[in-house]
Amino acid sequence: SQTIHQWPATLVQPVGSPLSLECTVEGTSNPNLYWYRQAAGRGLQLLFYSIGIDQISSEVPQNLSASRPQDRQFILSSKKLLLSDSGFYLCAWSRPGNQPQHFGDGTRLSIL
Amino acid sequence: SQQGEEDPQALSIQEGENATMNCSYKTSINNLQWYRQNSGRGLVHLILIRSNEREKHSGRLRVTLDTSKKSSSLLITASRAADTASYFCATDAVGQGGKLIFGQGTELSVKP
């Protein structure tokens, strides 16, 4: 069966510090991968999605970036965090095509 | 603008009652999906209904889709306290490569 791992679960970072959130998927190959951000009490905002290695699309201009160094690994990064980067970050995967998405447990990021 | 909009934003019912949540969207879709999110956790896929389907059942869940009105509803029958969560609709719009656009969600509280 397929599983998705996302870490860390919580993170507190000072303004201006770098960020690296990691997501890995097991039990499937060539998944579509997604990063979302969720503000408190709100819906999900798609940040990045990837249909393959070196195929990453950015949905929202910001100081975040994403990379996919391996088929089942998706990393969300920032060189300098802003206060507005606080939120709940969710990674998800799906099979190619119009398929359901499967989510990790999320990372709660607080910027001080 | 946001593709999916949900109504109501919050719903409080007693155990055993039925809960109905509605979702409206703006463009043509391949499918519409419903997800559940427990507080502080990732989303869990509940049900996917394709644009050529009108109704779908899964256990105590019933989803309807009216493409002429661009709306969907999720009915949870005989609700339980464990159904307390936020529920999101997400649309897979035509021409968007499988990306999902999430609504703002309905927060359901089922009181024992």
Side-chain angles (χ1 to χ4, degrees), chain B residues 12 20 33-35 40 44 51 59 69 83 90-92 95 103 107 111:
Chain B
S12 181
T20 299
Q33 302 176 29
W34 285 91
Y35 289 80
V44 175
S51 60
K69 295 181 180 178
D83 294 328
T91 49
D92 178 349
E107 195 172 326
K111 300 187 187 308

Side-chain angles (χ1 to χ4, degrees), chain A residues 17-50:
Chain A
S17 64
L19 174 73
S20 180
L21 302 181
E22 189 162 342
C23 173
T24 61
V25 180
E26 296 177 357
T28 188
S29 59
N30 196 31
N32 289 350
L33 296 171
Y34 309 85
W35 277 112
Y36 291 90
R37 178 168 58 205
Q38 185 179 30
R42 306 280 293 183
L44 277 65
Q45 178 187 38
L46 180 62
L47 301 176
F48 300 94
Y49 75 99
S50 172

Side-chain angles (χ1 to χ4, degrees), chain A residues 32 34 36 38 41-44 46 49 59 88 90 97-106 108, chain B residues 2 30-31 33 35 37 40-45 48 50 88 92 96-100 102-104:
Chain A
N32 289 350
Y34 309 85
Y36 291 90
Q38 185 179 30
R42 306 280 293 183
L44 277 65
L46 180 62
Y49 75 99
E59 292 296 298
F88 191 48
L90 289 156
N98 309 110
Q99 300 294 324
Q101 293 183 15
H102 307 278
F103 286 79
D105 280 337
R108 176 79 56 195
Chain B
Q2 197 71 22
N30 296 308
N31 64 68
Q33 302 176 29
Y35 289 80
Q37 183 181 33
R41 302 298 300 274
L43 278 72
V44 175
H45 177 258
L48 180 154
R50 302 193 187 284
F88 295 88
D92 178 349
Q96 292 300 307
K99 292 182 292 182
L100 296 180
F102 284 82
Q104 297 299 299

